[in-house]
Amino acid sequence: MGISLYKGIKDIFRPIGAKIKDITIENPAINTYSINILSKSNAEDFSFAPGQFVMLSIPHMGEAPISISSSPTIKGRIDLSVRKAGALTSALHNMKAGDYVAIRGPYGRPFPMDKIEGKELIFIAGGIGLAPLKSVIDYCIEKGSYQKMTILYGSKSPQEIAFKKAIDKWRQEMAIDIRLTVDAADRGWKGNVGLVTALLDNINIEEGTICLLCGPPVMIDITSELLLSKGVAPENIITTLERNMQCGIGLCGHCFMEDGRLVCRHGPVFTLKELKEPGSMLML
C-alpha cells in the first residue's frame, strides 16, 4: 500500500492548527464545530472528499477520529459533528467559538463520488450516522449531480433528532423526500415511530439506485439485508464503518478487521460487495 493514499497531505504525521469559528448545537449530545484552518498555505492545500475523516486533537487530551460533515466545495473550513462520549469529546463540548484545536489528515477512503453522482440516491442513517452522509448530500446538492434523493433518518426520540436546520433546508428549499422516525415519541411528535428500516417498506427502489448507509452496526446489517431482498445490488450498497482508530494511518492496528484489512486505510467506506467478498476489493 503506497503513499498515494495520502496524496495532497504534506506531512501525514503533523497536526495543523485550526480555530473554532461557530458551534451549532444539534441535540443535547451532538454539536457541529465549524473550524477554520489557520495557516493560509495549509488552508489552500487542505482538500478532502466526502467520507474522509480527520484526527482532531486538543492539548493534553489526545486525539480522536472525526468524520467531516461539510461539503468539500468549502475551502479553508470544515465542519465536524461530534457526539459527546469520552474525555476528548467532552473537552471539546466545553470549548467555545474562538478556541483552538488541531487536526491531522484528511485520511481514509472516501465515498466513490464518480459512481454516486448523477444517480438516484437513498440515504439511510441513524443518530450521528447522518454526519458523514451529510457531506455527500450537500456536495450533490451544490453540484446538482443527482436524479432523485431520498433521506431516511432515525433517532431515539424527537429531542435527539440532529441536523434539524439542514433537514429543514433540504426539505423546503430542495424539495428532497425526507422521512424521519423515532424509537419513542412524545406528545408533540406526529411522525413515524419505529426502526428506520421500517421506512423502506414504502420506498420504491429503481434499478441502479445507490443506497448509502451509516449508523449502528446492527442497523447497517439489517438494512443491508433488507435492501438486498429488494433487489439492490451489493455493489450499490455503500456504508462507512466506525472503529477505534487511534492513529488514522494504519500503524497502530486498533481498527483491524477480521480479514486483515484496516478500517482507516482500506475504508472507512466500503460497498457491501467488498465487505462480503474481500477479494473483490481494489486495494489502495
Side-chain angles (χ1 to χ4, degrees), residues 14-53:
R14 182 174 64 88
I16 58 175
K19 183 178 182 179
I20 299 173
K21 179 185 178 183
D22 295 303
I23 303 174
T24 300
I25 299 174
E26 305 289 2
N27 68 20
I30 300 172
N31 290 348
T32 294
Y33 299 84
S34 292
I35 295 176
N36 286 339
I37 297 171
L38 291 177
S39 163
K40 183 178 179 180
S41 62
N42 285 335
E44 291 174 347
D45 291 338
F46 189 91
S47 64
F48 69 95
Q52 290 191 293
F53 65 94

Short mmCIF file of all heavy atoms in Angstrom, two decimals, residues 14-53:
data_model
loop_
_atom_site.label_atom_id
_atom_site.label_comp_id
_atom_site.label_asym_id
_atom_site.label_seq_id
_atom_site.Cartn_x
_atom_site.Cartn_y
_atom_site.Cartn_z
N ARG A 14 1.89 15.32 10.90
CA ARG A 14 1.93 16.63 11.56
C ARG A 14 0.54 17.26 11.65
O ARG A 14 -0.11 17.50 10.65
CB ARG A 14 2.86 17.57 10.79
CG ARG A 14 3.00 18.96 11.42
CD ARG A 14 4.04 19.77 10.66
NE ARG A 14 3.62 20.03 9.30
CZ ARG A 14 2.87 21.09 8.93
NH1 ARG A 14 2.46 21.94 9.83
NH2 ARG A 14 2.54 21.26 7.66
N PRO A 15 0.09 17.57 12.88
CA PRO A 15 -1.18 18.29 13.02
C PRO A 15 -1.02 19.73 12.54
O PRO A 15 0.07 20.31 12.59
CB PRO A 15 -1.44 18.26 14.54
CG PRO A 15 -0.52 17.21 15.08
CD PRO A 15 0.67 17.19 14.18
N ILE A 16 -2.11 20.30 12.07
CA ILE A 16 -2.12 21.71 11.69
C ILE A 16 -3.12 22.45 12.57
O ILE A 16 -4.14 21.89 13.00
CB ILE A 16 -2.47 21.90 10.20
CG1 ILE A 16 -3.83 21.29 9.86
CG2 ILE A 16 -1.39 21.28 9.32
CD1 ILE A 16 -4.27 21.55 8.43
N GLY A 17 -2.81 23.70 12.85
CA GLY A 17 -3.64 24.49 13.75
C GLY A 17 -4.96 24.91 13.12
O GLY A 17 -5.05 25.15 11.91
N ALA A 18 -5.99 24.98 13.95
CA ALA A 18 -7.31 25.40 13.49
C ALA A 18 -8.03 26.12 14.62
O ALA A 18 -7.69 25.96 15.80
CB ALA A 18 -8.12 24.20 13.01
N LYS A 19 -9.01 26.92 14.23
CA LYS A 19 -9.76 27.73 15.20
C LYS A 19 -11.25 27.49 15.03
O LYS A 19 -11.75 27.45 13.91
CB LYS A 19 -9.43 29.22 14.99
CG LYS A 19 -10.08 30.17 15.97
CD LYS A 19 -9.63 31.60 15.66
CE LYS A 19 -10.22 32.59 16.64
NZ LYS A 19 -9.76 33.98 16.36
N ILE A 20 -11.94 27.32 16.14
CA ILE A 20 -13.38 27.12 16.10
C ILE A 20 -14.05 28.45 15.76
O ILE A 20 -13.92 29.44 16.48
CB ILE A 20 -13.91 26.60 17.44
CG1 ILE A 20 -13.27 25.25 17.78
CG2 ILE A 20 -15.44 26.47 17.39
CD1 ILE A 20 -13.62 24.74 19.17
N LYS A 21 -14.76 28.47 14.64
CA LYS A 21 -15.45 29.68 14.21
C LYS A 21 -16.86 29.75 14.78
O LYS A 21 -17.26 30.77 15.35
CB LYS A 21 -15.51 29.75 12.68
CG LYS A 21 -16.24 30.98 12.15
CD LYS A 21 -16.38 30.93 10.64
CE LYS A 21 -17.16 32.15 10.13
NZ LYS A 21 -17.38 32.09 8.65
N ASP A 22 -17.61 28.69 14.61
CA ASP A 22 -19.01 28.64 15.08
C ASP A 22 -19.30 27.27 15.66
O ASP A 22 -18.68 26.27 15.27
CB ASP A 22 -19.99 28.92 13.93
CG ASP A 22 -19.87 30.32 13.36
OD1 ASP A 22 -20.01 31.28 14.15
OD2 ASP A 22 -19.62 30.43 12.15
N ILE A 23 -20.28 27.23 16.56
CA ILE A 23 -20.74 25.97 17.13
C ILE A 23 -22.25 25.92 16.99
O ILE A 23 -22.96 26.84 17.40
CB ILE A 23 -20.35 25.84 18.62
CG1 ILE A 23 -18.83 25.96 18.80
CG2 ILE A 23 -20.86 24.52 19.18
CD1 ILE A 23 -18.38 25.99 20.24
N THR A 24 -22.75 24.83 16.40
CA THR A 24 -24.18 24.61 16.27
C THR A 24 -24.57 23.45 17.18
O THR A 24 -24.01 22.36 17.07
CB THR A 24 -24.57 24.27 14.82
OG1 THR A 24 -24.20 25.36 13.97
CG2 THR A 24 -26.07 24.05 14.71
N ILE A 25 -25.50 23.68 18.08
CA ILE A 25 -25.99 22.61 18.95
C ILE A 25 -27.04 21.83 18.18
O ILE A 25 -28.13 22.35 17.87
CB ILE A 25 -26.58 23.18 20.26
CG1 ILE A 25 -25.50 23.95 21.03
CG2 ILE A 25 -27.15 22.05 21.12
CD1 ILE A 25 -26.02 24.67 22.26
N GLU A 26 -26.71 20.60 17.83
CA GLU A 26 -27.61 19.77 17.03
C GLU A 26 -28.66 19.07 17.88
O GLU A 26 -29.83 18.97 17.49
CB GLU A 26 -26.81 18.73 16.24
CG GLU A 26 -25.71 19.30 15.35
CD GLU A 26 -26.23 20.05 14.13
OE1 GLU A 26 -27.47 20.15 13.98
OE2 GLU A 26 -25.40 20.53 13.34
N ASN A 27 -28.23 18.56 19.02
CA ASN A 27 -29.14 17.98 20.01
C ASN A 27 -28.38 17.96 21.34
O ASN A 27 -27.24 18.46 21.40
CB ASN A 27 -29.62 16.58 19.57
CG ASN A 27 -28.53 15.52 19.55
OD1 ASN A 27 -27.49 15.65 20.18
ND2 ASN A 27 -28.77 14.44 18.81
N PRO A 28 -28.93 17.45 22.43
CA PRO A 28 -28.23 17.52 23.71
C PRO A 28 -26.85 16.86 23.75
O PRO A 28 -26.04 17.19 24.62
CB PRO A 28 -29.20 16.81 24.67
CG PRO A 28 -30.55 17.04 24.07
CD PRO A 28 -30.32 16.95 22.58
N ALA A 29 -26.56 15.96 22.81
CA ALA A 29 -25.29 15.24 22.84
C ALA A 29 -24.38 15.55 21.66
O ALA A 29 -23.20 15.19 21.68
CB ALA A 29 -25.53 13.73 22.90
N ILE A 30 -24.88 16.22 20.61
CA ILE A 30 -24.11 16.44 19.38
C ILE A 30 -24.01 17.92 19.07
O ILE A 30 -25.01 18.63 19.02
CB ILE A 30 -24.75 15.71 18.18
CG1 ILE A 30 -24.81 14.20 18.42
CG2 ILE A 30 -23.97 16.02 16.89
CD1 ILE A 30 -25.59 13.44 17.35
N ASN A 31 -22.78 18.39 18.88
CA ASN A 31 -22.51 19.74 18.39
C ASN A 31 -21.78 19.65 17.06
O ASN A 31 -21.00 18.72 16.82
CB ASN A 31 -21.62 20.52 19.36
CG ASN A 31 -22.32 20.90 20.64
OD1 ASN A 31 -23.54 20.78 20.75
ND2 ASN A 31 -21.55 21.35 21.62
N THR A 32 -22.03 20.62 16.19
CA THR A 32 -21.25 20.76 14.96
C THR A 32 -20.32 21.95 15.11
O THR A 32 -20.77 23.06 15.41
CB THR A 32 -22.15 20.93 13.73
OG1 THR A 32 -22.90 19.73 13.53
CG2 THR A 32 -21.31 21.21 12.48
N TYR A 33 -19.02 21.71 14.88
CA TYR A 33 -18.00 22.74 15.01
C TYR A 33 -17.51 23.13 13.62
O TYR A 33 -16.99 22.29 12.89
CB TYR A 33 -16.83 22.23 15.86
CG TYR A 33 -17.25 21.86 17.27
CD1 TYR A 33 -17.79 20.61 17.54
CD2 TYR A 33 -17.14 22.78 18.31
CE1 TYR A 33 -18.22 20.28 18.82
CE2 TYR A 33 -17.55 22.45 19.59
CZ TYR A 33 -18.10 21.21 19.84
OH TYR A 33 -18.53 20.88 21.10
N SER A 34 -17.72 24.39 13.27
CA SER A 34 -17.16 24.92 12.03
C SER A 34 -15.76 25.42 12.35
O SER A 34 -15.59 26.32 13.18
CB SER A 34 -18.02 26.07 11.49
OG SER A 34 -19.27 25.58 11.05
N ILE A 35 -14.77 24.82 11.71
CA ILE A 35 -13.37 25.04 12.07
C ILE A 35 -12.61 25.64 10.89
O ILE A 35 -12.64 25.10 9.78
CB ILE A 35 -12.73 23.71 12.51
CG1 ILE A 35 -13.40 23.22 13.79
CG2 ILE A 35 -11.22 23.86 12.72
CD1 ILE A 35 -12.93 21.87 14.25
N ASN A 36 -11.97 26.75 11.14
CA ASN A 36 -11.13 27.40 10.13
C ASN A 36 -9.69 26.95 10.30
O ASN A 36 -9.15 26.95 11.41
CB ASN A 36 -11.19 28.92 10.25
CG ASN A 36 -12.50 29.49 9.75
OD1 ASN A 36 -13.20 28.85 8.99
ND2 ASN A 36 -12.84 30.69 10.19
N ILE A 37 -9.05 26.57 9.20
CA ILE A 37 -7.63 26.23 9.22
C ILE A 37 -6.84 27.52 9.27
O ILE A 37 -7.06 28.44 8.48
CB ILE A 37 -7.26 25.38 7.99
CG1 ILE A 37 -8.05 24.06 8.04
CG2 ILE A 37 -5.76 25.12 7.93
CD1 ILE A 37 -7.95 23.24 6.79
N LEU A 38 -5.89 27.61 10.20
CA LEU A 38 -5.25 28.89 10.49
C LEU A 38 -4.29 29.37 9.40
O LEU A 38 -4.42 30.47 8.90
CB LEU A 38 -4.51 28.81 11.83
CG LEU A 38 -5.41 28.69 13.07
CD1 LEU A 38 -4.55 28.56 14.32
CD2 LEU A 38 -6.31 29.92 13.19
N SER A 39 -3.33 28.55 9.06
CA SER A 39 -2.32 28.96 8.08
C SER A 39 -2.94 29.07 6.69
O SER A 39 -3.66 28.17 6.24
CB SER A 39 -1.16 27.95 8.06
OG SER A 39 -0.38 28.09 6.90
N LYS A 40 -2.64 30.16 6.00
CA LYS A 40 -3.17 30.35 4.65
C LYS A 40 -2.70 29.25 3.71
O LYS A 40 -3.49 28.73 2.92
CB LYS A 40 -2.74 31.72 4.11
CG LYS A 40 -3.31 32.02 2.73
CD LYS A 40 -2.89 33.40 2.25
CE LYS A 40 -3.46 33.68 0.85
NZ LYS A 40 -3.07 35.03 0.35
N SER A 41 -1.44 28.88 3.82
CA SER A 41 -0.92 27.82 2.94
C SER A 41 -1.56 26.48 3.27
O SER A 41 -1.89 25.70 2.36
CB SER A 41 0.60 27.73 3.07
OG SER A 41 0.98 27.37 4.39
N ASN A 42 -1.76 26.19 4.57
CA ASN A 42 -2.43 24.95 4.94
C ASN A 42 -3.88 24.93 4.46
O ASN A 42 -4.38 23.90 4.00
CB ASN A 42 -2.39 24.75 6.45
CG ASN A 42 -1.03 24.33 6.96
OD1 ASN A 42 -0.24 23.76 6.21
ND2 ASN A 42 -0.73 24.61 8.21
N ALA A 43 -4.54 26.08 4.57
CA ALA A 43 -5.93 26.18 4.14
C ALA A 43 -6.04 25.95 2.63
O ALA A 43 -6.98 25.30 2.16
CB ALA A 43 -6.51 27.54 4.52
N GLU A 44 -5.09 26.48 1.89
CA GLU A 44 -5.11 26.32 0.43
C GLU A 44 -4.79 24.89 0.02
O GLU A 44 -5.33 24.38 -0.97
CB GLU A 44 -4.10 27.29 -0.21
CG GLU A 44 -4.52 28.75 -0.10
CD GLU A 44 -3.44 29.70 -0.61
OE1 GLU A 44 -2.29 29.21 -0.81
OE2 GLU A 44 -3.72 30.90 -0.77
N ASP A 45 -3.91 24.24 0.78
CA ASP A 45 -3.51 22.87 0.44
C ASP A 45 -4.52 21.82 0.87
O ASP A 45 -4.58 20.73 0.30
CB ASP A 45 -2.15 22.54 1.08
CG ASP A 45 -1.01 23.32 0.46
OD1 ASP A 45 -1.17 23.78 -0.69
OD2 ASP A 45 0.03 23.49 1.13
N PHE A 46 -5.31 22.15 1.91
CA PHE A 46 -6.20 21.15 2.50
C PHE A 46 -7.38 20.88 1.58
O PHE A 46 -8.10 21.79 1.17
CB PHE A 46 -6.71 21.64 3.86
CG PHE A 46 -7.47 20.58 4.62
CD1 PHE A 46 -6.81 19.75 5.51
CD2 PHE A 46 -8.84 20.41 4.44
CE1 PHE A 46 -7.51 18.78 6.22
CE2 PHE A 46 -9.54 19.44 5.13
CZ PHE A 46 -8.87 18.62 6.02
N SER A 47 -7.57 19.62 1.24
CA SER A 47 -8.72 19.21 0.45
C SER A 47 -9.12 17.81 0.90
O SER A 47 -8.31 17.04 1.42
CB SER A 47 -8.41 19.23 -1.05
OG SER A 47 -7.40 18.29 -1.36
N PHE A 48 -10.40 17.49 0.71
CA PHE A 48 -10.88 16.18 1.12
C PHE A 48 -12.03 15.77 0.22
O PHE A 48 -12.52 16.57 -0.60
CB PHE A 48 -11.33 16.21 2.58
CG PHE A 48 -12.58 17.02 2.82
CD1 PHE A 48 -13.83 16.41 2.85
CD2 PHE A 48 -12.52 18.39 3.01
CE1 PHE A 48 -14.99 17.16 3.05
CE2 PHE A 48 -13.66 19.14 3.22
CZ PHE A 48 -14.90 18.53 3.25
N ALA A 49 -12.45 14.55 0.34
CA ALA A 49 -13.60 14.03 -0.39
C ALA A 49 -14.61 13.52 0.63
O ALA A 49 -14.24 13.11 1.75
CB ALA A 49 -13.18 12.90 -1.33
N PRO A 50 -15.92 13.55 0.32
CA PRO A 50 -16.92 13.06 1.26
C PRO A 50 -16.63 11.64 1.73
O PRO A 50 -16.30 10.76 0.94
CB PRO A 50 -18.21 13.11 0.43
CG PRO A 50 -17.99 14.22 -0.55
CD PRO A 50 -16.53 14.09 -0.93
N GLY A 51 -16.72 11.46 3.05
CA GLY A 51 -16.45 10.16 3.64
C GLY A 51 -15.12 10.08 4.35
O GLY A 51 -14.89 9.16 5.13
N GLN A 52 -14.24 11.05 4.10
CA GLN A 52 -12.95 11.05 4.80
C GLN A 52 -13.09 11.64 6.20
O GLN A 52 -14.10 12.28 6.53
CB GLN A 52 -11.91 11.83 3.99
CG GLN A 52 -11.49 11.13 2.71
CD GLN A 52 -10.29 11.78 2.07
OE1 GLN A 52 -10.36 12.91 1.59
NE2 GLN A 52 -9.18 11.06 2.03
N PHE A 53 -12.05 11.44 7.01
CA PHE A 53 -12.08 11.91 8.39
C PHE A 53 -10.76 12.59 8.73
O PHE A 53 -9.78 12.49 7.98
CB PHE A 53 -12.32 10.75 9.36
CG PHE A 53 -11.21 9.72 9.39
CD1 PHE A 53 -10.19 9.79 10.31
CD2 PHE A 53 -11.20 8.68 8.47
CE1 PHE A 53 -9.17 8.83 10.33
CE2 PHE A 53 -10.19 7.72 8.47
CZ PHE A 53 -9.18 7.81 9.41
#
